[in-house]
């Protein structure tokens, strides 16, 4: 599947895995955030986005763009956003153009990534890294996932699950670098 | 009818037919309500795991056995106050129902209600009353207050003897014993004896020891009292009350009376040695007494007593032997010879004393050559004479059951064998609880092969290796333990941690599955399962498993600690702190929990707290290089760099295989500005761990500071090759960008 690259450019994403597979050195950061949506149909609210249940979904109920807001208490490093959408099940409710914005709050969000999904059928990985190695992470208070348009020009959208990933912190505090070899790791903690 | 019903109930209980027993017993109680029958019904309920039923029917009863069962049900229902009230109504230890078992239960109650000192006292008392109460010794070790095994398992016999003969005074061990704080714990005669053994063993501050010392001292002061001393129960009682007074005088007397041939007499020195260890002479007496007691008990029908007695016998014999050995080489050898022959020769009561000692001494000698001869000499000499005299006297008095005595020789032998074994086990366990792992391993190796290859010993060996951070050996020991007793879960939680450290996920998941299928209700199985998930970085599931383990047994400290580790991995520090503190509430000497708390505070940058907690962990386990290196890190964070460096040095010395202290040392040197020193250390480290990216990264940053850009570039490149984590990749690349070098460098990244 084609990956989108820099923030301003668009790229089409298609395919989609049924299994969620992420690197070991990433961890899910969503639990520490406050999630909210711009609108929802009763019974299909924001909780369905985070319930680890792919059968339940969030259904929006208003004008586009539909927004999912993820707000953290402190600045966090984020690297990857993964959404579960399925064209086969949701057809015209399936998101097509998705824009990801980041910032300190609603007043200064700036788009950092835009992707176009083409008939996705599973977990879609949207990386937030830039090409520069120094831009591997996005350090931000807030992330906003905006669904700008749907397949077949549907008005409302269904999203079944969203996960947000950032790097794991150094398990050993006060170390400039993390350890990689087994000898170091074995001796680095007591259990 | 009552008798028939009672018999029926007893039979059912013996055959483990609980329902039948309960039904019949309820009829019995309805027909003939009495405390005795209530007690029987309660024991039926307790055997059927219905502690609440037993609790209700026994409320308010007075008979000692009833009070004991009531306390047991309260303990199982977690009602510590009532348990305590039931067991000690009169504040006097002699009133504790059921003797040793009662003391043990009371000790447990005190331990779980955080009254460590009282717990120690009671465990010691339990041990003095019944030297084969291994569980009490184990608890003492866990509390960190156990006396050396040799003193404990010598005294038993003597205690018995004392009881029999009331002359504990013989144990007039030197008064010096109590250099350490004396816990009141077992005042019994053993105390005096313990004193000497203590010296012999050079154990520090075990309560037993102290008590022994005190007790022994007492007798000494008492001076040779004559027979009456021995005959009166009061001295014994007094002794048991932690007043060293009784025993010492007795011992003294013994000694003063001149070297009687009792075993003590044989070697004053050995005796003395015992005393110095204080245990010496006493032991002999104790042993004798024990032997006697054992023999007598043999003929009584109290099952419990019998085993205890037997234990006592062996203990006594062993203790004697050990005492002898301890005492001075010359004396002991002499003594041994004498005792051996004597013991072998005549089992009769008269000679028994001497003999039992002799045999015991012999055994002891074998086991405890390290005893302080000098001490022994002094004390034993004094003691032996008196002891001998004394013993002889009482002997005559107690000699009534000569028949018993004759059979007691067998008991004595058995007792000495058991005591010999228990001594090794006890010493090994005690040392491993004190985290002196290498010593513990040396002791376990001395065990006979058939005992060494049992699951318990092998898992203790594994545990010792684990604490020395030698995970490969631990793995080996534990797998042998699994083969030896695949059904046993003891220590399997530690095994799962070993496998976690070695990153053997296959073996770990296999172990966890096996344990769960063996026993779903054991906390160790769930700990293993949790470790399995944690290894796969699924911390939430791991946490759930550990919480399950906690629910199954809330007194299992390690489960709490593991919960704490998972909370920390999930960055939930509040709950992590709570978990670690629960672990510490159960077992203050659980250094993993102290370490965990130190780590949390280090992360939260509360460096003072962190240093305190690491130091507490260090005090408990002073040989662990990991703890030392973290203590150094905390000191460094507090800007006490000299101390930090010193600690790192110690850590390096403690375990050459641990690369971390060197790395931390380099870190500290960098922060104080000693860049060359840091580079030297890192070079050394490079040799040891050539695949560690952080070493190169740190070197790169040092070279960058020294403006040696080429070298910095080289090292950063090497660091990147070794595939560090994403954050580090970003950091290293950023560092490279910032190097004031022309753009070509950027491309290489």
């Amino acid at each position: 599947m084609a990956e989108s690259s820099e923030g301003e450019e668009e790229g089409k994403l298609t395919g989609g895995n049924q299994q969620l597979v992420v690197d070991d050195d990433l961890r899910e950061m969503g639990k520490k955030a406050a999630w909210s949506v711009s609108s929802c149909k009763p019974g299909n609210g924001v909780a369905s986005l985070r319930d680890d249940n792919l059968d339940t979904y969030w259904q929006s109920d208003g004008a586009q763009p539909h927004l999912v807001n993820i707000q953290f208490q402190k600045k966090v490093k984020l690297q990857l956003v993964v959404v579960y959408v399925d064209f086969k099940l949701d057809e015209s409710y399936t998101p097509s153009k998705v824009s990801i914005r980041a910032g300190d709050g609603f007043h200064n969000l700036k788009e950092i990534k835009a992707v176009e999904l083409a008939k996705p059928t599973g977990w879609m990985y949207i990386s937030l890294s830039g090409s520069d190695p120094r831009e591997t992470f996005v350090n931000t208070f807030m992330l906003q996932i905006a669904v700008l348009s749907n397949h077949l020009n549907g008005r409302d959208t269904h999203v079944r699950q969203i996960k947000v990933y950032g790097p794991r912190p150094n398990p050993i505090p006060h170390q400039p670098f993390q350890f990689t070899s087994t000898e170091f790791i074995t001796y680095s903690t007591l259990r | 009818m009552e008798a028939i019903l009672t018999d029926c109930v007893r039979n059912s209980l013996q055959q483990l037919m609980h329902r039948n027993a309960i039904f019949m017993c309820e009829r019995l109680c309805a027909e003939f309500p009495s405390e005795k029958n209530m007690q029987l019904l309660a024991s039926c309920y307790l055997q059927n795991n219905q502690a609440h039923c037993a609790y209700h029917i026994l409320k308010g009863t007075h008979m000692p056995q009833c009070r004991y069962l009531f306390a047991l049900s309260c303990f199982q229902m977690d009602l510590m106050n009532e348990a305590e009230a039931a067991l000690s109504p009169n504040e006097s230890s002699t009133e504790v129902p059921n003797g040793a078992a009662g003391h043990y239960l009371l000790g447990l109650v005190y331990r779980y209600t955080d009254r460590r000192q009282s717990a120690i006292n009671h465990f010691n008392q339990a041990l003095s009353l019944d030297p084969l109460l291994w569980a009490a010794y184990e608890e003492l070790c866990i509390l960190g207050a156990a006396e050396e095994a040799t003193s404990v398992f010598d005294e038993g016999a003597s205690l018995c003897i004392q009881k029999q003969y009331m002359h504990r005074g013989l144990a007039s061990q030197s008064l010096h014993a109590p250099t350490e704080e004396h816990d009141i714990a077992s005042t019994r005669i053993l105390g005096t004896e313990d004193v000497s053994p203590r010296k012999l063993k050079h154990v520090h501050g075990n309560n037993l020891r102290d008590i022994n010392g005190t007790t022994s001292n007492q007798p000494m002061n008492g001076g040779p009292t004559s027979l009456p001393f021995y005959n009166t129960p009061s001295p014994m009682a007094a002794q048991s009350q932690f007043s060293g007074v009784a025993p010492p005088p007795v011992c003294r007397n013994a000694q003063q009376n001149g070297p009687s041939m009792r075993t003590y007499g044989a070697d004053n020195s050995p005796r003395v040695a015992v005393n110095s260890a204080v245990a010496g002479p006493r032991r002999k007496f104790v042993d004798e007494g024990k032997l006697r007691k054992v023999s007598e008990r043999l003929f009584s029908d109290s099952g419990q007593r019998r085993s205890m007695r037997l234990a006592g016998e062996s203990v006594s014999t062993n203790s004697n032997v050990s005492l002898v050995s301890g005492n001075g080489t010359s004396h002991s050898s002499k003594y041994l010879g004498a005792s051996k022959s004597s013991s072998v020769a005549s089992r009769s009561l008269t000679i028994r004393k001497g003999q039992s000692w002799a045999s015991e001494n012999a055994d002891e000698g074998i086991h405890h050559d390290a005893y302080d001869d000098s001490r022994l000499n002094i004390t034993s000499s004094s003691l032996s004479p008196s002891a001998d005299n004394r013993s002889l006297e009482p002997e005559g008095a107690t000699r009534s059951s000569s028949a018993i005595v004759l059979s007691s020789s067998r008991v004595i032998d058995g007792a000495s064998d058991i005591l010999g074994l228990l001594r090794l086990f006890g010493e090994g366990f005690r040392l491993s609880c004190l985290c002196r792992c290498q010593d513990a391993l040396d002791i376990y190796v001395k065990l006979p092969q058939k005992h060494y290859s049992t699951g318990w010993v092998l898992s203790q060996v594994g545990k010792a290796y684990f604490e020395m951070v030698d995970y490969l050996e631990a793995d080996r020991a534990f797998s042998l333990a699994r083969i030896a007793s695949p059904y046993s879960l003891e220590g399997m939680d530690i095994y799962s941690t070993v496998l976690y450290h070695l990153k053997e996920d296959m073996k770990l998941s296999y172990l966890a599955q096996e344990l769960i299928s063996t026993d779903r209700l054991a906390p160790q199985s769930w700990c293993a399962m949790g470790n399995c998930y944690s290894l796969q970085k699924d911390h939430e599931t791991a946490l759930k498993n550990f919480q399950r383990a906690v629910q199954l047994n809330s007194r299992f400290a390690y489960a709490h600690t593991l919960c704490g580790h998972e909370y920390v991995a999930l960055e939930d520090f509040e709950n992590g702190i709570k978990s670690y503190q629960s672990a510490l509430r159960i077992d203050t000497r659980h250094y993993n929990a102290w370490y965990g708390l130190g780590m949390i505070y280090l992360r939260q940058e509360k460096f003072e707290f962190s240093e305190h907690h690491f130091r507490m962990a260090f005090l408990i386990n002073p040989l662990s290089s990991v703890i030392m290196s973290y203590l150094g890190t905390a000191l460094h964070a507090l800007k006490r760099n000299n101390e930090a460096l010193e600690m790192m040095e110690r850590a390096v010395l403690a375990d050459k295989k641990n690369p971390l202290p060197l790395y931390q040392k380099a870190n500290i040197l960098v922060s104080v500005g000693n860049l060359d020193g840091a580079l030297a250390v890192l070079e050394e480290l490079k040799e040891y761990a050539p695949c560690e990216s952080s070493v190169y990264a740190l070197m790169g940053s040092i070279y960058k500071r020294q403006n040696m850009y080429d070298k910095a570039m080289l090292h950063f490149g090497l660091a990147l090759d070794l595939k560090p984590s994403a954050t580090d990749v970003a950091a290293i690349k950023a560092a490279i960008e910032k190097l004031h070098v022309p753009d070509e460098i950027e491309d290489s990244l």
Side-chain angles (χ1 to χ4, degrees):
Chain A
M1 65 182 141
E3 296 268 7
S4 55
S5 50
E6 295 307 303
E8 304 312 304
E9 292 172 41
E10 293 209 28
K12 284 198 189 264
L13 288 177
T14 186
N17 311 322
Q18 287 308 307
Q19 298 280 36
L20 179 58
V21 177
V22 286
D23 281 339
D24 239 2
D25 56 351
L26 291 177
R27 62 177 175 131
E28 222 267 318
M29 313 274 304
K31 289 221 165 54
K32 291 200 217 114
W35 292 70
S36 57
V37 290
S38 57
S39 60
C40 72
K41 180 169 157 240
N44 297 85
V46 65
S48 313
L49 279 176
R50 301 288 302 158
D51 59 358
D52 280 324
N53 186 345
L54 298 175
D55 295 326
T56 59
Y57 50 79
W58 163 57
Q59 176 170 329
S60 63
D61 188 21
Q64 289 173 351
H66 306 299
L67 309 168
V68 179
N69 306 304
I70 308 167
Q71 291 166 288
F72 296 91
Q73 280 192 320
K74 47 183 179 152
K75 269 198 174 177
V76 292
K77 290 202 176 102
L78 299 171
Q79 194 175 350
L80 178 68
V81 172
V82 191
V83 289
Y84 189 93
V85 285
D86 196 339
F87 180 74
K88 291 206 281 285
L89 291 177
D90 296 319
E91 295 179 348
S92 67
Y93 285 93
T94 314
S96 163
K97 288 214 177 89
V98 177
S99 159
I100 301 189
R101 299 110 179 235
D104 296 332
F106 287 102
H107 56 279
N108 64 354
L109 290 173
K110 196 169 91 88
E111 183 177 278
I112 55 169
K113 191 86 172 187
V115 294
E116 188 172 333
L117 306 174
K119 303 215 175 128
T121 50
W123 293 100
M124 305 301 293
Y125 298 81
I126 307 173
S127 165
L128 301 175
S129 317
S131 60
D132 197 318
R134 281 175 296 177
E135 288 176 16
T136 329
F137 310 113
V138 170
N139 204 6
T140 177
F141 273 104
M142 175 170 172
L143 204 67
Q144 185 181 72
I145 302 175
V147 176
L148 303 173
S149 66
N150 294 317
H151 280 75
L152 307 176
N153 280 323
R155 185 184 80 133
D156 288 321
T157 185
H158 282 177
V159 178
R160 292 178 177 260
Q161 198 73 1
I162 299 183
K163 287 200 188 284
V164 178
Y165 287 91
R168 270 187 206 282
N170 193 341
I172 300 127
H174 282 264
Q175 289 299 314
F177 301 104
Q178 294 191 24
F179 297 135
T180 56
S181 63
T182 37
E183 299 100 347
F184 272 74
I185 295 179
T186 310
Y187 284 99
S188 63
T189 53
L190 264 191
R191 193 162 171 84
Chain B
M1 178 175 166
E2 186 173 1
I4 299 177
L5 274 177
T6 314
D7 272 343
C8 165
V9 172
R10 290 238 169 89
N11 277 339
S12 305
L13 276 183
Q14 247 194 333
Q15 309 281 345
L16 299 175
M17 298 192 294
H18 298 129
R19 285 180 64 82
N20 191 40
I22 289 178
F23 180 76
M24 291 313 245
C25 206
E26 283 175 349
R27 302 309 113 225
L28 173 67
C29 288
E31 187 77 28
F32 305 103
S34 77
E35 273 207 17
K36 194 156 87 49
N37 295 336
M38 284 304 203
Q39 176 203 319
L40 191 55
L41 180 56
S43 51
C44 296
Y45 282 131
L46 279 172
Q47 293 219 19
N48 199 25
N49 280 330
Q50 289 174 289
H52 42 281
C53 302
Y55 171 80
H56 279 107
I57 63 169
L58 283 180
K59 216 167 181 156
T61 53
H62 298 296
M63 277 175 53
Q65 181 68 10
C66 286
R67 284 196 348 240
Y68 175 74
L69 289 177
F70 178 62
L72 195 58
S73 5
C74 292
F75 183 75
Q76 288 186 4
M77 290 168 59
D78 239 356
L79 299 166
M80 298 297 174
N81 291 334
E82 303 199 30
E84 183 186 340
L87 282 174
S88 50
N90 303 315
E91 306 298 1
S92 132
S93 51
T94 52
E95 289 286 340
V96 174
N98 236 16
H103 278 291
Y104 173 68
L105 184 57
L106 193 50
L108 281 178
V109 169
Y110 281 131
R111 180 185 161 195
Y112 287 120
T113 49
D114 275 339
R115 279 169 289 177
R116 185 175 174 265
Q117 205 46 57
S118 317
I120 292 174
N121 293 344
H122 281 282
F123 286 133
N124 277 322
Q125 270 193 299
L127 265 179
S128 58
L129 290 172
D130 176 10
L132 287 188
L133 196 53
W134 167 258
Y137 189 68
E138 213 174 13
E139 292 288 330
L140 281 172
C141 290
I142 292 175
L143 287 173
E147 297 230 356
E148 273 192 23
T150 46
S151 59
V152 172
F153 293 114
D154 297 330
E155 301 307 332
S158 28
L159 193 48
C160 294
I161 301 178
Q162 278 190 337
K163 286 195 171 191
Q164 308 250 344
Y165 300 99
M166 308 297 238
H167 12 240
R168 280 310 162 180
L170 289 176
S172 56
Q173 313 261 328
S174 43
L175 297 168
H176 333 306
T179 35
E180 291 124 48
E181 11 125 36
H182 294 266
D183 278 331
I184 325 178
S186 35
T187 43
R188 49 217 173 114
I189 308 190
L190 289 179
T192 43
E193 303 250 357
D194 293 342
V195 175
S196 39
R198 196 166 50 88
K199 291 201 177 182
L200 290 172
K201 300 184 219 193
H202 310 286
V203 174
H204 315 284
N206 282 331
N207 299 332
L208 279 180
R209 238 173 232 249
D210 294 332
I211 301 195
N212 290 331
T214 39
T215 46
S216 52
N217 292 331
Q218 305 280 334
M220 303 263 254
N221 301 327
T225 49
S226 46
L227 278 172
F229 203 111
Y230 296 104
N231 296 332
T232 43
S234 42
M236 281 243 307
Q239 287 166 354
S240 52
Q241 295 205 339
F242 309 114
S243 49
V245 184
V250 176
C251 294
R252 236 196 206 298
N253 293 332
Q255 296 210 332
Q256 265 126 45
N257 296 339
S260 44
M261 286 312 69
R262 265 233 229 181
T263 44
Y264 275 122
D267 285 334
N268 278 349
S269 48
R271 267 288 227 144
V272 177
V274 173
N275 280 335
S276 53
V278 182
R282 280 182 165 266
R283 276 201 261 191
K284 296 197 192 171
F285 284 98
V286 172
D287 292 31
E288 285 233 346
K290 248 200 175 323
L291 288 171
R292 277 177 202 249
K293 277 172 113 175
V294 178
S295 50
E296 284 177 354
R297 287 203 239 155
L298 274 178
F299 294 86
S300 66
D301 258 354
S302 48
Q304 174 191 1
R305 315 275 289 154
R306 172 170 299 198
S307 52
M308 284 174 40
R309 281 180 285 146
L310 283 172
E313 295 255 88
S314 49
V315 173
S316 46
T317 42
N318 292 331
S319 48
N320 278 339
V321 178
S322 47
L323 286 177
V324 179
S325 48
N327 294 323
T329 38
S330 50
H331 292 288
S332 42
S333 46
K334 257 195 327 184
Y335 198 75
L336 282 170
S339 49
K340 275 197 175 147
S341 47
S342 49
S343 50
V344 172
S346 46
R347 296 301 183 145
S348 57
L349 280 176
T350 41
I351 328 185
R352 259 197 341 125
K353 282 219 172 157
Q355 289 169 357
S356 51
W357 279 324
S359 47
E360 291 178 310
N361 290 327
D363 298 341
E364 301 232 340
I366 298 168
H367 293 297
H368 312 281
D369 296 313
Y371 290 130
D372 204 332
D373 294 345
S374 50
R375 295 242 195 104
L376 290 170
N377 294 332
I378 307 161
T379 51
S380 55
S381 42
S382 53
L383 287 174
S384 29
S386 41
D388 288 344
N389 295 341
R390 289 250 156 251
S391 49
L392 285 174
E393 288 167 344
E395 280 195 285
T398 52
R399 204 52 75 78
S400 44
S401 42
S402 45
I404 297 178
V405 176
L406 288 173
S407 40
S408 63
S409 57
R410 279 260 213 90
V411 176
I412 296 174
D413 279 347
S416 43
D417 290 338
I418 297 179
L419 282 178
L421 261 188
L422 279 182
R423 244 195 303 265
L424 282 176
F425 276 103
E427 192 60 16
F429 190 73
R430 187 185 71 92
L431 287 172
S432 73
C433 283
L434 290 176
C435 298
R436 284 163 51 186
C437 306
Q438 193 52 53
D439 300 336
L441 284 171
D442 295 335
I443 301 254
Y444 282 130
V445 160
K446 291 192 198 146
L447 282 170
Q449 188 56 33
K450 50 188 169 175
H451 281 284
Y452 189 81
S453 25
T454 53
W456 191 89
V457 177
L458 284 168
S459 54
Q460 290 298 317
V461 168
K463 190 157 157 271
Y465 278 120
F466 165 74
E467 302 205 338
M468 294 200 301
V469 200
D470 186 351
Y471 297 128
L472 291 168
E473 283 292 337
D475 182 13
R476 198 175 314 152
F478 275 120
S479 31
L480 287 175
R482 291 288 302 157
I483 297 174
S485 32
Y487 46 83
S488 157
L489 293 158
E490 196 66 41
M492 287 305 132
D493 47 332
I494 307 267
Y495 186 28
S496 69
T497 305
V498 169
L499 290 174
Y500 171 93
H501 275 289
L502 291 173
K503 299 217 182 301
E504 300 253 17
D505 42 5
M506 286 271 283
K507 272 186 172 182
L508 180 52
S509 44
Y510 181 63
L511 173 72
Q513 296 284 356
E514 270 199 333
L515 290 179
I516 298 259
S517 62
T518 310
D519 186 358
R520 284 192 97 236
L521 295 177
Q524 289 93 343
S525 331
W526 293 105
C527 285
M529 196 56 113
N531 268 330
C532 198
Y533 281 108
S534 184
L535 187 59
Q536 296 164 3
K537 303 256 190 286
D538 184 355
H539 295 293
E540 293 179 4
T541 321
L543 180 61
K544 281 206 197 94
N545 283 311
F546 293 133
Q547 282 171 334
R548 221 176 267 183
V550 166
Q551 276 175 338
L552 285 169
N553 181 357
S554 55
R555 299 206 185 108
F556 191 58
Y558 197 45
H560 285 279
T561 309
L562 288 169
C563 275
H565 290 319
E566 294 308 312
Y567 276 124
V568 169
L570 291 169
E571 304 213 343
D572 182 354
F573 296 132
E574 257 195 59
N575 278 322
I577 292 181
K578 278 200 208 125
S579 301
Y580 287 131
Q581 285 175 341
S582 331
L584 284 176
R585 211 174 303 139
I586 298 170
D587 181 5
T588 345
R589 298 192 78 247
H590 196 164
Y591 64 89
N592 309 55
W594 286 110
Y595 160 85
L597 282 170
M599 288 294 272
I600 290 185
Y601 290 126
L602 192 61
R603 251 182 240 275
Q604 293 181 325
E605 314 223 331
K606 295 182 185 159
F607 298 126
E608 293 279 354
F609 283 12
S610 160
E611 192 259 342
H612 166 74
H613 287 93
F614 282 132
R615 198 168 283 281
M616 292 297 292
F618 174 63
L619 286 174
I620 297 171
N621 183 356
L623 300 174
S624 163
S625 58
V626 179
I627 296 180
M628 280 192 250
S629 91
Y630 277 106
L631 183 50
T633 311
L635 286 168
H636 169 54
L638 284 171
K639 311 262 176 272
R640 282 149 66 173
N641 291 321
N642 290 332
E643 294 179 42
L645 281 171
E646 200 192 307
M647 192 51 74
M648 288 306 174
E649 285 297 326
R650 281 176 77 169
V652 171
L653 287 171
D655 187 356
K656 294 264 176 266
K657 293 186 284 176
N658 184 355
L660 239 71
L662 281 171
Y663 186 79
Q664 304 286 19
K665 189 170 153 202
N667 251 333
I668 300 176
L669 288 172
V670 167
S671 75
V672 296
N674 181 356
L675 296 178
D676 293 322
L679 279 174
V681 172
L682 285 172
E683 287 287 339
E684 197 188 320
L685 203 46
K686 227 171 39 167
E687 296 300 316
Y688 174 71
C691 303
E692 176 54 49
S693 119
S694 50
V695 173
Y696 293 105
L698 190 55
M699 287 179 86
S701 54
I702 296 178
Y703 283 125
K704 182 165 155 238
R705 270 173 74 161
Q706 292 181 325
N707 292 333
M708 296 163 66
Y709 298 125
D710 296 334
K711 287 204 138 175
M713 220 36 251
L714 168 67
H715 284 94
F716 280 140
L718 286 169
L720 284 172
D721 284 339
L722 291 169
K723 302 205 195 323
S725 72
T727 346
D728 287 350
V729 168
I732 296 174
K733 290 190 177 172
I736 294 179
E737 300 267 327
K738 292 206 214 100
L739 280 179
H740 298 302
V741 275
D743 301 15
E744 70 240 22
I745 302 299
E746 290 192 75
D747 303 338
S748 57
L749 294 172

